[in-house]
Structure formats: structure tokens, C-alpha cells
Amino acid sequence: MAEKKDQKEFKKDEADKKSAKELKEAIPRELKKTYQEIHPEEETVEKVISIKRTTKVTKGGRKLNFGAVVVVGDKKGNVGCGFGKANEVPNAIKKGINDAKKNMINVPVKGSTIPHEVIGRYGAAVVLLKPAAEGTGVIAGNVIRPVCDAAGIKDILTKCLKSQTPSNVIKATMDGLKKLRFKNELLEE
């Protein structure tokens, strides 16, 4: 009795697959939209800053977890940072990318630099961001540089004061970038 039910379900699954194929073939190739046509080219830069391994010792042995710090930006003034934790590195990176896309902010860019000097703070980390003359380049450490590159800032002077922890330094950098305003925005407030 159970075998007959399984055979009926198997036949239904095959019929469903055939009908789906027929529907796909019924639509002319010219009318089918590709993923790129539906979602226009979004040139996002995804950069993994650090991957940390944590170990939990239990009665049955060691349990490994991974944490990833990721920066995502479009090089047009939008940038976000995210943190992901999972049992495997690729899953942690995916979670970090999704978190970074949710936390995107708009950074005012004046030419190829920032409008004014600003200090960002988070926890024990303090980050100084200064505008620079054209052609200077990104003078930054290995944690702040990807954030500036993802935001599209080409000329900037930075200094990481106090804490050097990557997660805190990135959050302090994001805090500094959030504080940036153009002159006319300041006059309106």
C-alpha cells in the first residue's frame, strides 16, 4: 500500500517537472529577462577585513565558530560594515555581507575627499579623518583603507588613535563618516 502511494507521488512530481519545462519553453527566448536585465549592474565592492576563530570546549570536544568583519560599498558614496558569525567561514562571510548591506550609509564626498575634518569614536577606538589635497591618495591603515575605498574616497588622511581592534576601528570610522556634512547642510540646521 505504501509503495503505491510512493509511486503516485513520484508520478505527480514528474508531471509537475514536465509542466514547468513546457511553461519555460512556451515563453520565447527574446521575452525572457535575464538576471542582469531585472537587476541592473550594481557594482558593489565587498571586502573581508578580518576572520576570527573562536573555540568552545565542551564535554564532547571542541566546537569551532568563525566571525567575519565585512565592508560593502558602491564607490559612489554609499558604504556599510557588517559582522557575521557561523560554523563555517563562507557562511560567516555571507552573513557579514548581508548585515553590511542592511547598514549602508551615505557619505558626502567633496570631489575625491571628505568635506571637513572629523573624529569618530566607538568603544575605546578613536579615528581621525582629515581631507587631503587631490593626488594624495588614501593614507590609512589596513582596517580603515577598505572603508574609504568602498565609499569612493580617493584622497584622505587618517589616524587610528587608542584601540587597534578591527571591529571597533571600523565602527569608529563609520561613526566619523556619519558625522560628515556639507556646508549648506550645516547652515540649514
Side-chain angles (χ1 to χ4, degrees):
M1 189 90 172
E3 291 177 14
K4 288 183 182 178
K5 286 183 181 177
D6 289 341
Q7 288 176 352
K8 286 181 184 177
E9 288 176 15
F10 180 71
K11 287 180 182 177
K12 284 182 184 177
D13 290 340
E14 282 188 356
D16 290 342
K17 287 179 184 176
K18 285 181 183 176
S19 63
K21 283 183 181 178
E22 290 172 2
L23 284 173
K24 286 181 182 176
E25 291 170 1
I27 301 170
R29 190 176 195 100
E30 296 82 31
L31 295 178
K32 291 180 186 176
K33 290 188 175 182
T34 61
Y35 180 82
Q36 284 80 17
E37 291 172 358
I38 295 169
H39 305 284
E41 192 78 22
E42 299 171 6
E43 293 183 25
T44 57
V45 177
E46 299 166 352
K47 182 77 175 170
V48 178
I49 304 300
S50 70
I51 296 174
K52 296 274 185 175
R53 187 186 77 185
T54 57
T55 309
K56 180 181 180 183
V57 180
T58 60
K59 186 169 67 173
R62 294 189 186 108
K63 185 179 178 191
L64 295 175
N65 270 341
F66 296 93
V69 180
V70 183
V71 171
V72 174
D74 63 355
K75 293 195 172 193
K76 296 176 185 171
N78 295 316
V79 67
C81 70
F83 305 92
K85 294 177 184 176
N87 294 336
E88 297 175 5
V89 175
N91 294 343
I93 293 171
K94 283 180 189 174
K95 285 182 180 181
I97 290 170
N98 290 338
D99 188 35
K101 286 181 178 176
K102 288 177 189 172
N103 298 325
M104 294 273 277
I105 62 166
N106 192 359
V107 179
V109 180
K110 183 181 176 184
S112 62
T113 188
I114 56 176
H116 57 85
E117 184 178 321
V118 69
I119 294 176
R121 298 172 195 275
Y122 183 84
V126 178
V127 174
L128 171 68
L129 305 169
K130 273 186 170 182
E134 194 170 327
T136 305
V138 179
I139 310 297
N142 60 349
V143 178
I144 303 172
R145 180 182 300 275
V147 177
C148 295
D149 290 340
I153 301 168
K154 294 183 179 86
D155 302 306
I156 190 168
L157 302 170
T158 65
K159 181 67 180 165
C160 180
L161 309 167
K162 294 189 177 181
S163 173
Q164 305 292 316
T165 309
S167 58
N168 287 351
V169 171
I170 282 188
K171 286 183 179 179
T173 306
M174 294 296 287
D175 177 57
L177 294 175
K178 280 180 194 173
K179 291 178 182 177
L180 289 174
R181 299 279 183 270
F182 282 122
K183 198 173 191 178
N184 56 2
E185 291 176 6
L186 291 173
L187 293 173
E188 289 173 7
E189 294 175 3

